[in-house]
Amino acid sequence: MTQETWSGWFENVPGYLDSASIGLPPTAAVDAVVAALESWRHGRARPQDYDEYVDRGRRAWAAIAGVPAETVAVGSTVSGLVGPIASSLADGSNVLVAAGDFTSVLFPFLAQQEQGRLTVREVSLEDLPASVDEHTDLVAVSAVQSADGRRVDVEALLEAAAQHGARVLLDVTQSCGWLPLDCSRVDYVVCAGYKWLLCPRGVAFLAVRPQGDGAVGQGRRSGHARHPAKGRRHGQAVCAPSRLAGPGCLTQCAPCPVPPRHRS
Ligand SMILES: Cc1ncc(COP(=O)(O)O)c(C=O)c1O
């Protein structure tokens, strides 16, 4: 595609360089949002009419991220999608993060640490792959740092995680759309759409790699399969990926009748 072709899709905003904060919307996206608001305003909005757009969004993002569409949940914020992963990790799990990473990646795990459930270890971004060890259950990191654009070595990280039986959560909010990344080997991929994907606010995606045991996290209770690299017991799913991938996605899990602390 040439610049002439795509520049016609946008308003002329010379010098706009702030997609890392908020991406500029294509005119067609603004028109679609306005049409949806008009339909809502005039009492014509019907829930089922939104499904097609949610599904198209899910498929489009899955194609960019290199993950199967049926593993993708649609949500509204990264923090809201990371929260259930943090809360579904088994008690006593160790989470490795990059110091200074974006709050939506860090805080869900720090909140669980504050409750005494998890241990969060912060290291510098550059040291992250080498810091994965046999105690690490999950590594959570942004592929590109929000604060300064630094990139994690994803290949080295995936290799180290595989070697030590750790899972990887990768936030691709600041990379998806401009940095080609094959996320098919990543356990959890999260992404907010309002930056490089040029979506309105309130669009976010989570891909959960099928784990064999169907778990979102590693589960909170003992009594299930043991991870070969650790001897740790895995629990059952809090929400199986197939549930997450349904049309209402994560929001369908929210009214789950089982209180979060007691889900297995
Ligand atoms: C790396 C990263 N992740 C996530 C987000 C957005 O998070 P949330 O959707 O929770 O507001 C941002 C926004 O700046 C970001 O830079």
Side-chain angles (χ1 to χ4, degrees):
M1 195 186 301
T2 64
Q3 182 174 354
E4 285 68 41
T5 322
W6 58 255
S7 62
W9 294 7
F10 297 88
E11 285 300 311
N12 188 13
V13 188
Y16 188 84
L17 290 172
D18 205 13
S19 292
S21 296
I22 297 181
L24 270 191
T27 308
V30 176
D31 292 345
V33 171
V34 169
L37 290 175
E38 283 301 319
S39 136
W40 177 33
R41 193 210 321 241
H42 294 289
R44 294 193 301 265
R46 298 181 314 153
Q48 60 270 33
D49 293 342
Y50 297 113
D51 289 350
E52 179 202 340
Y53 300 104
V54 173
D55 202 45
R56 272 166 55 185
R58 171 191 291 120
R59 287 179 193 290
W61 182 75
I64 297 172
V67 298
E70 58 278 10
T71 65
V72 176
V74 179
S76 51
T77 60
V78 163
S79 52
L81 291 169
V82 174
I85 295 168
S87 64
S88 68
L89 291 176
D91 288 351
S93 294
N94 287 291
V95 181
L96 181 65
V97 298
D101 208 331
F102 193 71
T103 48
S104 297
V105 181
L106 294 183
F107 282 15
F109 298 104
L110 292 175
Q112 294 291 327
Q113 176 170 254
E114 218 166 275
Q115 291 179 20
R117 285 215 325 106
L118 306 179
T119 302
V120 178
R121 186 160 61 105
E122 293 187 27
V123 299
S124 74
L125 186 73
E126 294 69 26
D127 290 341
L128 199 73
S131 302
V132 182
D133 62 21
E134 71 276 17
H135 303 295
T136 312
D137 294 294
L138 178 79
V139 187
V141 65
S142 298
V144 171
Q145 291 292 298
S146 173
D148 53 17
R150 277 176 309 145
R151 290 162 55 173
V152 71
D153 184 339
V154 175
E155 265 311 305
L157 179 61
L158 289 176
E159 255 174 53
Q163 194 183 338
H164 294 289
R167 292 182 183 181
V168 173
L169 181 154
L170 197 62
D171 179 333
V172 297
T173 301
Q174 293 291 2
S175 51
C176 196
W178 68 267
L179 178 67
L181 269 183
D182 172 12
C183 296
S184 60
R185 288 186 296 139
V186 180
D187 299 291
Y188 312 104
V189 189
V190 281
C191 183
Y194 68 93
K195 296 171 186 290
W196 304 93
L197 297 178
L198 316 181
C199 298
R201 276 192 177 247
V203 179
F205 303 96
L206 162 68
V208 180
R209 192 162 72 104
Q211 309 282 338
D213 57 2
V216 167
Q218 294 179 352
R220 289 185 142 187
R221 287 207 321 226
S222 58
H224 302 286
R226 283 172 182 277
H227 192 289
K230 294 201 181 58
R232 176 185 293 284
R233 288 171 196 271
H234 284 188
Q236 282 180 328
V238 168
C239 308
S242 56
R243 277 193 73 195
L244 288 168
C249 307
L250 210 61
T251 53
Q252 288 184 335
C253 298
C256 177
V258 184
R261 273 230 158 261
H262 299 100
R263 289 179 198 156
S264 57

